Amino acid sequence: DVIEVLSARFAADYDLLERKNAVLMEEYKAYYESWTHHRQRLDRLAAVRARKQGLLNGDENSGRGGRRGAISLADTARSDLELDQIMASLVNEDLTNPEILSRKNIATIPDMLVTTDPRQLEVMYDDRNGLVKDPEAFTRELLNPGFWTESEKKKFVDAYLATPKQFGRI
């Protein structure tokens, strides 16, 4: 009788776990597809920006040369002041560029770990941190910190006078 009840309960728990696993998998797939779509959009945006920048600089790889084949000096600084200005503008651009900002927040999504094996459900962490077995004794200790005897007070005063405020030595 007990075995039948327990086996029915375990079967119901197993079915519930299977359904939960299926729901979580579907939810994970939806999040993953959304994330991949977002990354593809950011990659396309980066490619368009790189192409525009290449066209502005007259790079050969951009599909169009510079003006009459002239050498572009757009990437050179003529003075230290101009170099500092270029560096400051690059830092400012990095702080406002959504592609660079999103790189810092890219998360590696791990595979889901959902237990479907009932034997693995038996192993659980039993947390006993802060467990108070006898609350009355525990509160008595908090309310009654204890009192010093006269000899203990005298020893403390003598040690304190010998080495003031050095409680490690006292």
Side-chain angles (χ1 to χ4, degrees):
D1 187 38
V2 173
I3 294 175
E4 292 174 4
V5 171
L6 286 177
S7 63
R9 175 66 182 177
F10 288 145
D13 287 347
Y14 184 76
D15 290 340
L16 180 67
L17 189 61
E18 286 292 321
R19 284 185 298 213
K20 181 179 178 181
N21 189 21
V23 168
L24 287 175
M25 287 294 268
E26 290 301 319
E27 187 177 346
Y28 173 76
K29 284 180 186 177
Y31 285 140
Y32 185 74
E33 288 171 2
S34 171
W35 174 248
T36 355
H37 177 69
H38 177 69
R39 288 300 307 152
Q40 288 172 352
R41 190 170 56 84
L42 287 177
D43 289 343
R44 285 193 305 269
L45 182 63
V48 167
R49 283 187 180 161
R51 186 165 181 266
K52 283 182 182 178
Q53 191 64 33
L55 289 174
L56 290 175
N57 291 339
D59 292 343
E60 295 175 10
N61 296 334
S62 64
R64 192 176 121 192
R67 188 173 64 117
R68 295 186 185 171
I71 297 173
S72 173
L73 298 177
D75 292 338
T76 60
R78 293 181 291 270
S79 67
D80 288 341
L81 176 65
E82 190 174 334
L83 179 64
D84 291 340
Q85 289 173 344
I86 291 170
M87 293 303 288
S89 70
L90 289 174
V91 168
N92 188 31
E93 182 180 325
D94 287 351
L95 293 175
T96 57
N97 187 351
E99 179 188 349
I100 293 173
L101 292 174
S102 69
R103 282 188 205 152
K104 296 176 185 174
N105 299 327
I106 290 178
T108 303
I109 302 173
D111 293 333
M112 288 191 326
L113 296 176
V114 177
T115 304
T116 56
D117 185 8
R119 291 173 295 186
Q120 291 179 353
L121 292 175
E122 295 172 4
V123 180
M124 297 177 67
Y125 174 68
D126 186 17
D127 183 13
R128 293 180 182 257
N129 289 337
L131 177 66
V132 178
K133 291 186 178 180
D134 187 8
E136 291 178 5
F138 181 75
T139 52
R140 271 196 307 268
E141 289 175 15
L142 291 177
L143 296 176
N144 184 11
F147 297 100
W148 289 10
T149 63
E150 290 302 320
S151 64
E152 290 174 333
K153 287 180 187 178
K154 185 174 182 335
K155 285 181 186 177
F156 175 76
V157 169
D158 291 341
Y160 184 80
L161 291 175
T163 56
K165 294 187 179 180
Q166 293 183 8
F167 294 104
R169 298 181 90 189
I170 295 175

